[in-house]
Amino acid sequence: MIVLYDIPSTAPGVAWSPNVWKTRYSLNYKGILYRTEWVEYPDIEATCKRIGAPYTEKREDGTPLYTLPAIHDPSTGVSLADSVLIAEYLDATYPDTPKLLPPGSRTIQHAFLAAYRLMLPALWQFALPGTLPILNPPSEAYFRRTKFGPMIPNVAPTGDLRQEQWAKLKDDFGLLAGWLDKGEADGPYILGDSASFLDFAVAGYIIWLRIIWGEGSMEWSDIKRWHNGRWDAFLKRLEKYETVV
Amino acid sequence: MIVLYDIPSTAPGVAWSPNVWKTRYSLNYKGILYRTEWVEYPDIEATCKRIGAPYTEKREDGTPLYTLPAIHDPSTGVSLADSVLIAEYLDATYPDTPKLLPPGSRTIQHAFLAAYRLMLPALWQFALPGTLPILNPPSEAYFRRTKFGPMIPNVAPTGDLRQEQWAKLKDDFGLLAGWLDKGEADGPYILGDSASFLDFAVAGYIIWLRIIWGEGSMEWSDIKRWHNGRWDAFLKRLEKYETVV
């Protein structure tokens, strides 16, 4: 049984990390058996080294940065980090399961993933400070030390700046809504009739917002109203792949 | 017969504009009969108004900006500007011709187009000044007045800065190369086995560089060597749709 490594929280359901959600959605969609192992931030590096999952990035000082999601697949002996690489691995290793990155769209899927991250510049100033209250103490301290800086303070904007930046966030999502509108005639999912990794990549960020603020929060209630309710509907369409095991 | 409105130059073949190339490739690929009408920059607005092609953007001061490519299709009476809108129009109006934006990929195609523009930030400082020498005097004066500013001077970088920014441009293309590598197993084109608007959007920029500097230039010779010669090969693969009529 595959082991999925994820970062715990105090939120209902425990899972919250947008990047790990991409892999959880992927595994659930494929119907591959797996279990979750919860790893606090300070233990990620040692865990990845122990299972043999390579680092995914380098810090500015050149030292390797180990990140989750990571998986260990005992049936092949493979350990791997990075949600896109994991998606490619699962498609190749389990060819009888639904494709996450169907042939003929791989180039633009990678471009979409790059574009999408750039397209939500206003997200981080809200979502990163919003994550602090749901983390357990060791992860909270680590997150506070590593995720903030001059560009992203560890408290979300308040007052007029909040209004202005919240409107900016809505506009960023509006750009994505425009792309989704272009494909609407092809089917309910980004690639048309079937879900794919791209839907999970988008959903990973939206579910993160729902989790950090909570279903009944003012923030989530507002987002639910944006763009004719499409973001809540987006998650609802993928709800069957939301199970945390 | 459709009329394609394009901006002339003194370069061999006359055509140069990357955005109009997208539409020329599109028309040639579909095998739709058309002829080109050449319009100098200062006459674009009057031409678009005369044929009834809407403006495509607004300037910072709120006034409408008319751009090429534009087409007039006498068989339907439609006049239209913007290469993507034209592609959508041609797909819808000529359903028996090869699709530029095949169903199931429209959302990510639009995302790719947005990503792609963002992904070449180092391009403009070279390509915009490089265009000046091939324009006819009325377009040259207009281009000089409207395309440059504090961010993009009307001369390309020289000396050490040139070296550095040229390396940056290569890196930008490298990012695109990485995406193309991801899809390579699916076929020679971005969407796999068939060309699509995306190939023409990428080719429009590459052919622009070949045209402004010329086949034998140092700049083009260098670009030809980048990333295992893939950019020259990219154009070669689409050469049959390069005809200027």
Side-chain angles (χ1 to χ4, degrees):
Chain A
M1 196 191 275
I2 287 180
V3 184
L4 169 64
Y5 296 87
D6 194 359
I7 304 153
S9 80
T10 60
V14 187
W16 65 274
S17 159
N19 290 318
V20 183
W21 268 109
K22 298 173 194 171
T23 298
R24 174 172 290 102
Y25 276 122
S26 297
L27 288 161
N28 288 336
Y29 177 63
K30 281 183 171 290
I32 294 173
L33 279 181
Y34 71 99
R35 65 181 177 84
T36 307
E37 201 159 294
W38 301 100
V39 184
E40 299 288 350
Y41 266 106
D43 305 322
I44 291 174
E45 179 164 340
T47 302
C48 286
K49 284 178 169 169
R50 178 173 56 79
I51 65 171
Y55 63 86
T56 55
E57 293 170 50
K58 287 205 171 187
R59 293 194 188 86
E60 278 191 17
D61 67 5
T63 57
L65 179 64
Y66 291 83
T67 60
L68 299 186
I71 61 163
H72 173 68
D73 186 345
S75 73
T76 59
V78 167
S79 292
L80 201 60
D82 182 295
S83 63
V84 183
L85 295 181
I86 293 170
E88 290 175 344
Y89 167 79
L90 295 174
D91 275 351
T93 311
Y94 300 95
D96 299 337
T97 58
K99 286 273 174 292
L100 295 163
L101 302 158
S105 60
R106 278 180 275 210
T107 294
I108 36 177
Q109 287 190 58
H110 283 87
F112 182 96
L113 294 168
Y116 176 50
R117 267 191 296 262
L118 289 172
M119 288 298 152
L120 295 171
L123 178 71
W124 316 106
Q125 63 189 330
F126 292 106
L128 292 177
T131 301
L132 288 170
I134 63 163
L135 294 175
N136 292 315
S139 285
E140 200 267 1
Y142 184 98
F143 200 86
R144 195 178 281 279
R145 202 171 66 241
T146 57
K147 299 281 180 178
F148 303 98
M151 299 296 289
I152 305 174
N154 60 16
V155 287
T158 55
D160 286 353
L161 183 63
R162 183 177 186 88
Q163 298 273 330
E164 177 198 306
Q165 291 298 308
W166 190 255
K168 176 84 181 61
L169 180 63
K170 183 180 175 183
D171 286 348
D172 291 348
F173 271 99
L175 193 61
L176 180 58
W179 298 340
L180 294 171
D181 284 342
K182 291 286 186 179
E184 204 142 63
D186 301 338
Y189 301 104
I190 294 180
L191 291 181
D193 288 327
S194 306
S196 70
F197 186 73
L198 296 181
D199 298 283
F200 306 146
V202 172
Y205 287 96
I206 305 172
I207 201 169
W208 180 29
L209 300 181
R210 195 183 73 191
I211 290 167
I212 58 176
W213 287 313
E215 276 280 5
S217 65
M218 280 186 55
E219 287 86 352
W220 180 249
S221 303
D222 198 29
I223 292 172
K224 273 171 90 164
R225 280 193 297 268
W226 290 355
H227 312 109
N228 299 315
R230 82 179 315 151
W231 308 114
D232 191 44
F234 199 102
L235 289 189
K236 286 271 173 9
R237 214 156 38 228
L238 302 173
E239 208 167 18
K240 51 187 172 298
Y241 311 121
E242 227 182 67
T243 319
V244 179
V245 292
Chain B
M1 197 190 276
I2 288 180
V3 184
L4 169 65
Y5 296 86
D6 195 359
I7 304 152
S9 80
T10 59
V14 186
W16 66 275
S17 159
N19 290 318
V20 184
W21 268 110
K22 298 173 193 172
T23 298
R24 174 172 291 103
Y25 276 123
S26 298
L27 287 161
N28 287 337
Y29 177 63
K30 282 184 170 289
I32 294 172
L33 280 181
Y34 71 99
R35 64 181 178 84
T36 307
E37 200 157 297
W38 301 101
V39 184
E40 299 288 349
Y41 265 106
D43 305 321
I44 290 175
E45 179 164 341
T47 302
C48 287
K49 284 178 169 167
R50 178 172 58 78
I51 63 170
Y55 64 87
T56 56
E57 291 170 51
K58 287 205 171 184
R59 293 195 188 84
E60 277 191 17
D61 66 5
T63 57
L65 179 64
Y66 292 83
T67 60
L68 298 186
I71 61 163
H72 173 69
D73 186 347
S75 73
T76 58
V78 168
S79 292
L80 200 60
D82 182 294
S83 64
V84 183
L85 295 181
I86 293 171
E88 290 176 343
Y89 167 80
L90 295 174
D91 275 351
T93 311
Y94 300 94
D96 298 337
T97 59
K99 286 273 174 293
L100 294 163
L101 303 158
S105 60
R106 278 181 274 210
T107 294
I108 36 177
Q109 286 190 60
H110 283 88
F112 183 96
L113 294 168
Y116 177 50
R117 267 190 296 260
L118 288 171
M119 289 296 153
L120 296 172
L123 178 71
W124 316 106
Q125 64 190 327
F126 291 107
L128 293 176
T131 301
L132 287 169
I134 63 163
L135 295 175
N136 294 315
S139 284
E140 201 267 3
Y142 183 98
F143 200 87
R144 196 178 279 280
R145 201 170 66 242
T146 57
K147 299 279 180 180
F148 302 98
M151 299 296 289
I152 306 175
N154 60 17
V155 288
T158 55
D160 286 353
L161 183 63
R162 184 178 184 88
Q163 297 273 329
E164 176 197 307
Q165 290 299 307
W166 189 255
K168 176 83 181 63
L169 180 64
K170 184 181 175 184
D171 286 348
D172 292 348
F173 271 100
L175 193 62
L176 181 59
W179 299 341
L180 295 171
D181 284 341
K182 291 286 185 179
E184 203 142 66
D186 302 338
Y189 301 103
I190 294 181
L191 291 182
D193 289 327
S194 305
S196 70
F197 186 73
L198 295 182
D199 297 284
F200 305 147
V202 172
Y205 287 97
I206 305 172
I207 203 169
W208 179 29
L209 300 181
R210 195 183 73 192
I211 290 167
I212 58 177
W213 287 313
E215 276 279 6
S217 65
M218 279 186 56
E219 287 87 352
W220 180 249
S221 304
D222 198 29
I223 293 173
K224 273 171 91 164
R225 280 192 298 267
W226 290 355
H227 312 109
N228 299 314
R230 81 179 316 151
W231 308 115
D232 191 45
F234 200 102
L235 290 188
K236 286 269 170 16
R237 215 156 37 230
L238 301 173
E239 209 166 17
K240 51 186 172 298
Y241 313 121
E242 227 183 66
T243 321
V244 179
V245 291

